[in-house]
Amino acid sequence: MPVQGAGSGMDTKTLLIVIAGAAVAGIVLWLLLRKGAAKLERLPPEKLAQIAAEKAEAYVHQHKSGTGEDLGFLLEDLKKMDQVLEKNFARNLLDAHTIDHMGMYLGETIRRLFGGQWRYNEGFGELCLELEEEGFIFPVSQIRRALEHKESGQVRSYVESIAERQRAAKGK
């Protein structure tokens, strides 16, 4: 019997098979992502730092090939990242891979400026940076947030606020 209102003439049995197939595919994808996360959970901080640094360097090269601009790991260079994000405000063309690498570049810049150690946060399912006075920060989430909120200069402003708190903590 055709499903009422479906417009495709698909019968109920076929629809249930399609739904079941989508559910199984979703579960398999979740398990694969979870398996990758489980590997990160078991890695020592030194290996996490190596992974983060490699992804950050990959973004430096990607940025250079896309814009012709060099990136270092300096506060001033974050303005260039903000410009890339701002270009994507209207219609985000950045894929998850690029966003992840941008986050690692942001995190590596913060780590090189203020110290800290890379960790894996199971709750967020991503690498985060633990700063002595700041606690845990989530650079990839910060990149996603910048794209979502569409505020100019958000990444650089975020790091400047960390710098202010770091200075205040050292001045105690």
Side-chain angles (χ1 to χ4, degrees):
M1 164 182 262
V3 177
Q4 295 295 322
S8 67
M10 186 181 300
D11 65 31
T12 304
K13 185 177 179 180
T14 304
L15 181 61
L16 290 174
I17 291 170
V18 169
I19 291 170
V24 168
I27 291 168
V28 168
L29 179 60
W30 180 81
L31 289 171
L32 289 172
L33 291 173
R34 192 66 208 123
K35 183 178 179 184
K39 289 179 183 177
L40 288 175
E41 291 169 7
R42 294 190 299 262
L43 293 177
E46 304 80 40
K47 184 65 179 168
L48 295 175
Q50 179 185 356
I51 291 168
E54 288 170 0
K55 289 181 176 188
E57 287 293 337
Y59 180 70
V60 168
H61 294 295
Q62 181 181 352
H63 184 85
K64 173 79 173 177
S65 68
T67 65
E69 299 174 329
D70 289 319
L71 285 178
F73 292 89
L74 305 169
L75 183 61
E76 302 81 45
D77 292 323
L78 296 177
K79 183 176 181 181
K80 296 172 187 173
M81 179 185 278
D82 274 324
Q83 291 169 344
V84 169
L85 293 170
E86 290 165 16
K87 288 178 185 174
N88 283 277
F89 282 172
R91 200 173 70 161
N92 183 12
L93 300 176
L94 300 174
D95 60 16
H97 181 77
T98 300
I99 291 170
D100 181 55
H101 286 191
M102 289 177 89
M104 293 299 103
Y105 171 77
L106 173 60
E108 265 302 290
T109 300
I110 293 169
R111 189 191 65 74
R112 291 177 188 198
L113 292 171
F114 310 114
Q117 192 160 24
W118 286 101
R119 304 277 188 213
Y120 179 78
N121 183 285
E122 186 176 342
F124 278 82
E126 69 182 63
L127 288 177
C128 62
L129 191 61
E130 182 179 17
L131 299 176
E132 189 174 318
E133 298 292 334
E134 193 76 17
F136 293 99
I137 61 168
F138 298 85
V140 176
S141 291
Q142 186 62 34
I143 297 298
R144 285 190 207 108
R145 197 172 302 120
L147 285 166
E148 188 177 304
H149 292 287
K150 299 174 174 55
E151 294 177 19
S152 296
Q154 192 172 10
V155 171
R156 184 175 168 135
S157 174
Y158 173 71
V159 177
E160 286 172 345
S161 69
I162 291 172
E164 286 177 31
R165 289 190 298 274
Q166 293 287 317
R167 281 191 293 272
K170 289 180 180 178
K172 287 183 180 178

